Amino acid sequence: MTLQGTGLDLRADVNGPVLVNLAGGSEHQLSFLSPKPVIFEPQWQQVNLDLTFLALPQKISPMPLAIQDLSLLRIEDRRGLEGLPVRRVSTILSGTIYFEELIGQELKLRSGEAIRFEGSEGQIEMLELKNDHIAFQFHGRVRGLTTGSSGIGRSLMPTWLEWLKARRGLYLLWGTAIYLFGLIAGVLRWLKVPQ
C-alpha cells in the first residue's frame, strides 16, 4: 500500500506477537500482552506499507472509501538485473468497466492490461483481501481512460457519437437522416441538377 501526502501520521493497534522488519534490514520480535497503539511518523510525503495478516479478513472498510487518482499499475524496479530500467506494470488480473453514461455498457479487462486514468475521483465501495490478490469495486468519474503503453496507448473513453447513440437512439437516427438529406440536396444544387 502506498500513501502520499503531508501529515501522514498512522496509528495501528497491535496485540500479541508482532514481527517488525525495518528498512535497514533489522528485524525485531515484539510481544504485547494487551492491545497497544503504535504511531508511525513518516519523514517523507510517501509511505510504502507491506501488511501481512495471519488470517485474511473477509472484507475491509464496510463504508465507502473516498479515493482520488486511482492507479492500477505498480512500479517494477529491476535496475540491479543487467541494468534494466524502471517500468510500470499492470496489476490487473481481471475486471469489468461499466460505462454508466452509455447505459451500463461493459468492457471486460484482460489479465495484465495496462489501464491508465488521466484523473479519477470516486469511492471504493467493496474491498476484499483474497489469498493471492485484492478484489475491489471502484465507482466514480474518470478522465482520459487509456490502455496500452504510455506512448502508444489507445483511448477507451466513449465518443460523443457513442453517447448520443446510447442516450438518444431515435434522435440520432433522425439527425443522421436530415444530415444526409441536406448533404444530397447540397450536392444536387452544386451540380445544378433540375428538380
Side-chain angles (χ1 to χ4, degrees):
M1 181 185 304
T2 300
L3 305 173
Q4 289 184 327
T6 57
L8 289 175
D9 289 353
L10 306 172
R11 173 183 165 146
D13 293 321
V14 295
N15 188 18
V18 176
L19 182 65
V20 179
N21 191 348
L22 301 175
S26 61
E27 193 173 277
H28 300 285
Q29 174 80 32
L30 304 173
S31 184
F32 298 92
L33 299 177
S34 63
K36 301 282 185 197
V38 176
I39 308 295
F40 301 95
E41 297 176 350
Q43 297 184 7
W44 294 283
Q45 291 187 0
Q46 180 173 331
V47 178
N48 294 320
L49 295 175
D50 294 328
L51 302 175
T52 304
F53 297 97
L54 292 177
L56 293 178
Q58 290 296 330
K59 289 189 180 180
I60 296 178
S61 180
M63 296 172 45
L65 178 66
I67 191 166
Q68 268 185 305
D69 298 326
L70 176 66
S71 176
L72 301 174
L73 303 170
R74 67 180 165 84
I75 296 174
E76 188 175 82
D77 187 358
R78 303 187 320 174
R79 282 181 271 188
L81 302 172
E82 304 171 13
L84 295 173
V86 174
R87 65 183 187 138
R88 295 181 184 269
V89 179
S90 172
T91 58
I92 294 175
L93 297 177
S94 68
T96 305
I97 295 175
Y98 296 96
F99 294 99
E100 295 300 329
E101 293 292 323
L102 300 181
I103 311 176
Q105 180 180 333
E106 295 183 15
L107 173 67
K108 296 286 185 189
L109 301 177
R110 300 181 305 263
S111 178
E113 188 167 7
I115 298 293
R116 291 178 173 77
F117 304 111
E118 184 180 312
S120 62
E121 185 172 348
Q123 55 192 16
I124 291 181
E125 296 178 343
M126 184 275 298
L127 181 63
E128 284 187 66
L129 296 178
K130 306 285 188 173
N131 286 333
D132 58 349
H133 65 278
I134 298 173
F136 71 94
Q137 290 179 350
F138 171 77
H139 185 265
R141 293 185 167 275
V142 299
R143 292 185 323 273
L145 173 60
T146 58
T147 184
S149 301
S150 57
I152 53 171
R154 69 178 171 91
S155 176
L156 297 177
M157 291 296 286
T159 63
W160 282 105
L161 188 60
E162 290 172 327
W163 183 83
L164 281 173
K165 180 181 172 189
R167 293 284 183 175
R168 312 275 188 235
L170 187 59
Y171 295 126
L172 182 63
L173 175 67
W174 281 107
T176 304
I178 291 170
Y179 173 77
L180 289 175
F181 176 75
L183 185 65
I184 292 170
V187 169
L188 291 177
R189 190 174 298 142
W190 180 71
L191 293 174
K192 298 181 182 172
V193 174
Q195 297 181 3

